[in-house]
Amino acid sequence: MSTTNPETTGLKSLNKAQCRAVTSNAPTVAILAGPGSGKTHTLMSRVVWLIQQGGYQPTDIIVATFTVKAAREMKERIRKALGQELEKKIVLGTFHSIARRYLAKYGGRIGLDSKFGIADDGDSRAIIQRICKRLDLQIEPSHAKLWISKRKAKGSTSTPAQNGKQLKENPALVTCFQGYQDHLARSNLLDYDDLLVRSVELLQNHPSCVSNVQAVLIDEYQDTNGIQYDLMKLFAQARQRITIVGDPDQSIYGWRSAEIRNLYRLLRDYPETDEVSLEENYRSSQSILDISLDVIQQDKKRYKKVLLPVHTKGAKPVLRKLKSSAAEGEWIVAEIRRAVMLFGGMLKHEDVAILLRSASLSRHVESALGKAGVAYRMIGGHKFYDRKEIKIVLDYLRVVYQPDNNDAVARVINAPRRGIGEATIKSLLEEAEQAKMSLWSLLWRHCRGQRKATTNIRAKMEQKLNTELLRIVSTLRQRSEGMNESSPLTLVGLIDDLVRQLNFKRYLEEEYVEDHEQRWANVQELVNLAGDFMRDFGKADEEALPEVEGVAQAKEDDLLGRLLANVALASDAQKDDKEQGKSSLVTISTIHAAKGLEWPVVFVPSVFTGSIPHSRAEDSDEERRLLYVAMTRAQVLLYLSCPLYGSQGLSNKVELSPFVAPFVGKFAQKGPSFDRPVVEGAAKILGRGAPTEKAIFDKIPPMFSPEDDRFPIDPFDPKNPDGLEDDADGHCARAPKRQRTVYANTGGGDGEEERPWKPDYATTMEKSSEFTMSSLPGFVSAGAHRAATAAAGAQETTTATKQHPGTGTSRRRPDQRSLLGFVTKEPKTQHAPPPSKAPADLSFTRYQAAASRHAAKHAPAATSIDLPRPAIDLALTQHKLSTGPALARPNAPKPTDDGPRKRYAVFSSSPPRPASPDESDEKKAAPAEPEQSRPAASFHTTTFMSALPRAGVRRPVGMGPPPAMDRLRKPFKPLTINRPKGPSG
DNA sequence: GAGAGCGCGGTTTTT
DNA sequence: CCGCGCTCTC
């Protein structure tokens, strides 16, 4: 297998370096590479290669990823390459889920009860909070939690060196730690960190459990922490074959104790490691890469490496300043629409991602999208499983599964209301603890008359407890114990019965008069999720571990337990591309959750100090890397933006993030013109067909401004800093005093022409933006939009995995083998460092040289070869009817025959005023039903619908002036869903 | 002792 | 801007 011919082994999609990594015979392979260089693809290919060429059994391979999403994606890819049969046998998942599997099978060996549950974040927090309070420790629970988690996550790293520090430890923390562990043990729970800690313990003491393992592969290695490193080594202890891929520049989990140092530990611990660096970036346009590098290179301590653009320059990334967060949201919507429109169907909503530093920033964006009727899905942030109604049901299930889980029991005692208050529950808990029995059995015995509780429980309540809680749960428990894979529907039935017997619907109606429907729908969705779970994980040994000879496994056929574990471990976003394909959704995600993914169009809003370096962040380098990660998700269009005033008050000005401030001049100040070269360049990068100009033209409605000119370029006006809220038109309309911002001299340095801000135009457009956006029929409505795009863009477009389209153009570096591009500063390892003293900037120099070479080669050539006509698009640029008096009501043309359901929203041409009751009458008449045109196929649709006003309950949000609405309505909670829906067969 | 009402601080990112 | 903890009433 040493001489492998790429042609015959499916390695064609790999470049030379990748190929070398895939086929390396070294026991340990470290693949270090920047974003978009095909790391994951390479790792996946190596798995395939190990199985097909190396003769390894899939069951003997462990692939660990960092996030659930990454695991799922990896799974998908391997399935495509190997087929489901083989893929299923590979032990693949997040560290946590793999650890859990081992503990479920072998945990008995280290004294673990096989029915252990997983304490999620909320559980841990609650437990710690209680302990702190009860013992009157003078510490902050959140701090304690962090500390405990850090301590567990360290693994073997810390122990040797720092004894001095250990003495300094706050004894209160130690006490809390102890109490916490005791409590977990009593409730038979493991927290997330414990899964890893105990697995390490297991594998240390019982290596035979992994004696079969031939190869271990780790994705996103830079994010592993100490304990995960230990675990990796232990997984690999039989054969010591490890392959890792990673990028130190993308290390964004330091707060979770990820240690870049692990890279050097690996090189030290496995001196024969074959290091491979991948240097070509296949993802992004050159200008995106350039500016991303500008950002990351501010970090002087970083380990430099080469990143060669493969694609052409592309449109200049944008750094846009907006008046407020609300304006920012609206601008984003406008840009999305502009791009979708002017790319003539080549870009769809699903090609767009909005990446946020924190989930809480999503509000404005969501409301803008909602108003415009753009469907979206939110990844990360609020979790479906965190919703109150869901938590209650889950808590019941946990009690069914684990009667000793006192916390779950306690939460469930008075929900639905049974007239048992907090004080009573607290007292019962105390009593149980004193009596060294679980809360459940205390109640049980009390109600059976076996042991009278000292806590006073009134007869009426005892009655209720007995019939409504104890009896229901215990019968369900009996049923669940008889449940197994051969009776696949029982889990759904179980939840159904639980909910019915609790009269949960009525409870919701009474408790949540306002939105009980939504909540009940959520409960229904939970039932559906359970059904999906049964289908996908229920029967197949999705989680099986290979039998190792002579090592007995515990059977884990407890469906309920697995469901609950799945909820705890997989509570992040699922995407089910199959179903989503029908409706094209914009993605909103945290930057963290976006790692490893890519989109043609990426927005990074709120790039201001306090958000991106987050105000509570301790490591600003990590924050910078975070921004870098966000930026490098983009393939063709990258937009950063920053509101000039914070959302709270008008007076709090906001400062541009220091990470971009020095480069303001390198960004465009507004969205690019989507002229022919830009469109064609994008088409090339994405490997999609560029639409003809006619195709684009035909769909552009009149009144549509092809430029990003609806918002002032510089909304900042010192004379009128307070005109923000009420929109005293004057100040936005004033001609821009150019570049008088605090940040830098943007100098307007390049060919980007600055369109002067026309006062009248500005006002009208600005003012009319709400209704224009939301009510032009066929324009904003997803239905029409889909019709339009479907007609044009029926071609295959795959965003996920690129097969390195530009093979012909991408020049591989001849000296690819060299490592010097990567590590320039060798930390205190003294094993043979590669060409050690490369000047620190060499890599960058190389990069620059390559980049300019590349540019020289491509810029003229690329366009002239494929598409000889350069700038016909002038016509397009001038196709700007809208610069005229903007208020003329457009003779709204339906772009296509929208069939029978053409929906004309009623809109008045008068500028929107703050909502008055009479006015809203008119608005009520407007059909608030953009959502009806959308298929309700996936749960994400549900997500989206929750964003929309429900007829009768709310008036159409799109019609009204936004601020009023925002204040009137309780902000909706986006359902952020996550559907553990594995790609079913 | 249960529940409704008001005031205050506070929450980054994920398994 | 949202859950909490505190107070007051039943």
Side-chain angles (χ1 to χ4, degrees):
Chain A
M1 66 183 175
S2 45
T3 56
T4 318
N5 180 358
E7 296 302 317
T8 63
T9 54
L11 298 173
K12 257 187 286 187
S13 62
L14 302 170
N15 69 27
K16 194 171 158 200
Q18 291 171 334
C19 193
R20 188 177 127 237
V22 166
T23 61
S24 172
N25 283 316
T28 313
V29 181
I31 302 162
L32 306 169
S37 55
K39 290 189 293 291
T40 306
H41 180 62
T42 305
L43 190 72
M44 185 274 297
S45 303
R46 183 156 170 88
V47 172
V48 172
W49 185 82
L50 286 174
I51 291 169
Q52 288 185 337
Q53 307 295 314
Y56 293 180
Q57 292 302 312
T59 48
D60 298 340
I61 293 180
I62 292 183
V63 184
T65 65
F66 202 65
T67 62
V68 180
K69 208 182 320 150
R72 194 168 294 115
E73 189 156 318
M74 179 76 67
K75 221 168 196 174
E76 186 70 37
R77 291 190 190 188
I78 292 180
R79 178 171 310 182
K80 278 189 187 128
L82 286 180
Q84 186 166 13
E85 280 305 298
L86 292 180
E87 175 268 311
K88 260 169 42 187
K89 293 184 182 162
I90 299 173
V91 180
L92 188 159
T94 60
F95 272 103
H96 295 267
S97 89
I98 296 175
R100 193 203 69 85
R101 282 186 242 174
Y102 272 93
L103 291 176
K105 304 285 187 210
Y106 304 114
R109 278 150 223 262
I110 54 168
L112 203 61
D113 184 313
S114 68
K115 286 186 84 175
F116 68 87
I118 296 171
D120 65 28
D121 228 42
D123 297 328
S124 301
R125 211 182 27 223
I127 294 170
I128 291 175
Q129 205 160 36
R130 272 227 319 279
I131 290 174
C132 288
K133 209 178 238 175
R134 183 179 324 157
L135 303 184
D136 196 27
L137 304 169
Q138 300 296 334
I139 47 179
E140 223 180 307
S142 63
H143 175 242
K145 180 164 181 298
L146 230 61
W147 183 84
I148 291 171
S149 171
K150 272 205 171 111
R151 207 139 190 267
K152 292 181 179 176
K154 271 203 167 142
S156 62
T157 35
S158 60
T159 21
Q162 311 162 322
N163 271 339
K165 272 202 178 159
Q166 304 233 335
L167 296 176
K168 271 204 315 200
E169 270 167 12
N170 183 345
L173 286 172
V174 180
T175 314
C176 180
F177 191 2
Q178 229 145 40
Y180 174 65
Q181 288 307 117
D182 286 350
H183 186 101
L184 288 178
R186 266 200 308 272
S187 312
N188 196 17
L189 292 172
L190 299 183
D191 70 11
Y192 290 124
D193 298 305
D194 286 336
L195 288 172
L196 306 177
V197 172
R198 301 306 300 275
S199 292
V200 165
E201 181 188 343
L202 170 71
L203 297 182
Q204 250 162 10
N205 298 318
H206 303 275
S208 54
C209 301
V210 286
S211 56
N212 67 306
V213 174
Q214 296 283 339
V216 174
L217 298 98
I218 313 280
D219 196 14
E220 305 281 11
Y221 180 78
Q222 76 279 356
D223 289 323
T224 53
N225 58 30
I227 193 83
Q228 286 166 328
Y229 183 78
D230 293 345
L231 197 52
M232 172 191 80
K233 283 184 76 172
L234 289 166
F235 280 148
Q237 59 187 313
R239 296 289 182 282
Q240 316 271 329
R241 292 184 149 266
I242 298 174
T243 301
I244 62 106
V245 301
D247 175 6
D249 285 339
Q250 295 183 64
S251 164
I252 52 177
Y253 282 92
W255 52 275
R256 232 177 81 178
S257 311
E259 300 187 28
I260 307 191
R261 263 177 54 221
N262 281 344
L263 191 53
Y264 306 104
R265 295 177 76 195
L266 183 85
L267 300 183
R268 187 193 59 214
D269 293 350
Y270 302 89
E272 286 171 69
T273 297
D274 188 6
E275 290 176 67
V276 182
S277 56
L278 313 176
E279 301 182 340
E280 286 108 336
N281 175 297
Y282 295 96
R283 175 183 297 152
S284 313
S285 74
Q286 186 185 324
S287 53
I288 289 174
L289 276 187
D290 282 343
I291 212 149
S292 304
L293 278 166
D294 280 336
V295 167
I296 197 69
Q297 276 165 355
Q298 294 172 99
D299 184 348
K300 297 304 177 208
K301 296 182 308 239
R302 83 184 253 273
Y303 305 104
K304 297 195 168 72
K305 60 186 172 312
V306 177
L307 197 53
L308 302 175
V310 154
H311 298 295
T312 48
K313 200 103 186 142
K316 203 188 233 199
V318 178
L319 176 57
R320 190 68 150 97
K321 282 171 273 174
L322 280 308
K323 190 175 55 173
S324 64
S325 308
E328 188 178 38
E330 279 160 29
W331 167 76
I332 288 174
V333 170
E335 275 304 280
I336 292 174
R337 231 182 61 227
R338 197 170 69 90
V340 166
M341 199 62 74
L342 294 176
F343 275 82
M346 190 177 88
L347 294 178
K348 304 190 208 165
H349 285 156
E350 70 202 14
D351 295 321
V352 177
I354 300 164
L355 306 182
L356 307 162
R357 168 67 246 259
S358 16
S360 51
L361 292 170
S362 70
R363 185 126 281 151
H364 298 105
V365 175
E366 287 187 73
S367 88
L369 288 171
K371 269 182 229 160
V374 176
Y376 63 90
R377 74 183 162 146
M378 171 90 199
I379 295 177
H382 322 235
K383 304 258 193 311
F384 176 67
Y385 298 118
D386 281 346
R387 323 198 112 234
K388 247 150 286 160
E389 63 277 14
I390 298 302
K391 272 179 112 161
I392 295 174
V393 176
L394 285 175
D395 273 329
Y396 270 98
L397 293 176
R398 295 166 104 184
V399 174
V400 169
Y401 178 64
Q402 281 193 311
D404 290 348
N405 188 333
N406 286 5
D407 302 278
V409 174
R411 282 188 296 253
V412 130
I413 284 182
N414 200 33
R417 296 234 135 103
R418 301 190 176 101
I420 298 170
E422 210 180 316
T424 313
I425 293 174
K426 211 175 240 167
S427 153
L428 284 169
L429 260 178
E430 294 292 329
E431 186 184 340
E433 213 137 302
Q434 303 269 307
K436 295 232 156 41
M437 57 171 40
S438 72
L439 181 52
W440 171 266
S441 56
L442 178 90
L443 294 175
W444 185 261
R445 291 191 202 184
H446 176 82
C447 292
R448 298 273 131 144
Q450 293 166 354
R451 176 191 177 283
K452 186 136 169 45
T454 49
T455 306
N456 197 19
I457 303 179
R458 273 179 283 190
K460 195 166 177 193
M461 290 151 190
E462 181 178 327
Q463 173 75 12
K464 279 194 159 178
L465 266 186
N466 202 5
T467 54
E468 291 176 18
L469 192 129
L470 299 178
R471 196 168 299 163
I472 293 178
V473 169
S474 68
T475 43
L476 288 180
R477 181 174 307 139
Q478 275 163 27
R479 257 179 67 188
S480 83
E481 275 160 7
M483 243 168 33
N484 60 42
E485 290 158 14
S486 53
S487 47
L489 281 178
T490 41
L491 195 44
V492 173
L494 185 89
I495 302 177
D496 246 345
D497 284 356
L498 169 68
V499 168
R500 191 165 334 115
Q501 289 176 42
L502 287 175
N503 229 329
F504 206 67
K505 188 169 184 209
R506 209 187 59 202
Y507 161 69
L508 290 178
E509 285 164 4
E510 287 166 2
E511 194 76 12
Y512 305 99
V513 187
E514 281 283 317
D515 57 349
H516 65 271
E517 284 174 21
Q518 180 62 52
R519 290 174 188 266
W520 177 245
N522 289 339
V523 173
Q524 294 300 300
E525 187 55 30
L526 180 67
V527 175
N528 292 339
L529 285 170
D532 292 348
F533 171 81
M534 293 296 308
R535 207 180 43 245
D536 299 338
F537 298 90
K539 49 190 106 166
D541 317 290
E542 190 81 20
E543 313 210 312
L545 292 175
E547 297 279 346
V548 179
E549 224 181 278
V551 184
Q553 292 184 354
K555 266 190 290 201
E556 197 202 11
D557 53 4
D558 195 312
L559 283 173
L560 183 52
R562 276 166 50 198
L563 174 73
L564 291 173
N566 208 282
V567 167
L569 292 180
S571 53
D572 95 316
Q574 326 294 314
K575 47 145 184 270
D576 202 287
D577 284 332
K578 312 284 134 55
E579 283 184 43
Q580 265 170 43
K582 292 175 200 155
S583 61
S584 183
L585 303 177
V586 168
T587 299
I588 304 175
S589 171
T590 61
I591 299 174
H592 283 91
K595 193 177 56 157
L597 305 178
E598 65 186 6
W599 290 269
V601 183
V602 168
F603 289 86
V604 187
S606 302
V607 186
F608 57 83
T609 309
S611 169
I612 213 149
H614 194 273
S615 40
R616 337 174 51 92
E618 349 192 293
D619 180 354
S620 113
D621 288 335
E622 179 155 314
E623 298 290 303
R624 192 187 293 107
R625 292 194 292 269
L626 203 47
L627 181 60
Y628 175 72
V629 168
M631 294 170 74
T632 53
R633 301 307 94 197
Q635 293 175 281
V636 302
L637 297 178
L638 171 63
Y639 291 93
L640 311 196
S641 58
C642 175
L644 294 186
Y645 297 95
S647 44
Q648 340 292 88
L650 338 129
S651 47
N652 67 335
K653 242 179 263 166
V654 138
E655 267 191 53
L656 190 61
S657 164
F659 302 147
V660 291
F663 311 111
V664 174
K666 294 196 176 184
F667 287 93
Q669 291 181 282
K670 62 182 181 98
S673 300
F674 296 133
D675 52 22
R676 205 57 200 161
V678 168
V679 171
E680 284 169 1
K684 215 164 168 205
I685 292 177
L686 299 176
R688 304 178 183 183
T692 66
E693 279 171 60
K694 181 165 188 324
I696 297 175
F697 256 123
D698 287 351
K699 300 217 180 68
I700 295 184
M703 292 300 299
F704 184 78
S705 166
E707 295 296 325
D708 172 16
D709 52 10
R710 308 170 40 134
F711 296 83
I713 288 192
D714 183 1
F716 176 65
D717 187 341
K719 282 189 194 154
N720 192 6
D722 287 341
L724 168 76
E725 190 76 356
D726 52 20
D727 240 344
D729 291 8
H731 87 281
C732 332
R734 200 163 296 147
K737 328 247 164 103
R738 29 163 83 233
Q739 316 316 346
R740 132 182 53 53
T741 49
V742 266
Y743 315 130
N745 52 337
T746 37
D750 51 51
E752 196 71 66
E753 58 143 19
E754 275 181 16
R755 166 186 315 274
W757 190 252
K758 293 199 187 103
D760 47 346
Y761 175 58
T763 16
T764 44
M765 281 314 279
E766 172 121 340
K767 286 303 273 184
S768 60
S769 66
E770 287 100 3
F771 64 84
T772 306
M773 303 256 321
S774 52
S775 53
L776 268 186
F779 195 106
V780 129
S781 95
H785 159 62
R786 235 179 316 108
T789 50
Q795 322 112 328
E796 259 332 66
T797 52
T798 320
T799 53
T801 321
K802 270 193 310 158
Q803 293 284 40
H804 315 314
T807 5
T809 62
S810 83
R811 276 272 39 88
R812 183 176 55 252
R813 303 282 312 161
D815 50 346
Q816 167 68 57
R817 281 212 35 178
S818 149
L819 279 174
L820 94 174
F822 188 68
V823 183
T824 55
K825 243 198 298 186
E826 182 67 1
K828 50 234 154 189
T829 49
Q830 58 273 71
H831 84 274
S836 51
K837 282 306 169 198
D841 273 357
L842 180 54
S843 58
F844 181 52
T845 318
R846 268 177 76 196
Y847 160 76
Q848 280 183 319
S852 54
R853 230 182 305 128
H854 182 85
K857 193 172 70 182
H858 284 276
T863 33
S864 59
I865 289 174
D866 290 14
L867 304 144
R869 304 158 305 161
I872 272 186
D873 48 287
L874 258 171
L876 191 95
T877 323
Q878 280 152 10
H879 168 68
K880 191 174 150 186
L881 321 179
S882 48
T883 28
L887 264 193
R889 169 159 177 170
N891 260 337
K894 20 191 165 109
T896 14
D897 273 330
D898 203 12
R901 50 157 170 59
K902 44 190 168 184
R903 302 170 310 281
Y904 290 99
V906 175
F907 71 89
S908 94
S909 55
S910 58
R913 295 253 136 259
S916 72
D918 353 339
E919 218 172 319
S920 59
D921 278 337
E922 176 196 348
K923 281 159 186 162
K924 251 179 239 151
E929 55 175 9
E931 75 267 33
Q932 281 190 2
S933 61
R934 254 167 245 119
S938 76
F939 193 48
H940 300 299
T941 312
T942 316
T943 303
F944 169 63
M945 303 229 313
S946 77
L948 286 170
R950 266 170 304 137
V953 181
R954 276 188 209 186
R955 76 208 230 315
V957 99
M959 305 292 130
M965 280 314 292
D966 283 347
R967 277 190 217 106
L968 279 178
R969 294 298 315 180
K970 242 187 138 180
F972 76 91
K973 279 227 176 111
L975 266 191
T976 319
I977 287 337
N978 308 303
R979 195 163 165 118
K981 183 164 213 168
S984 53

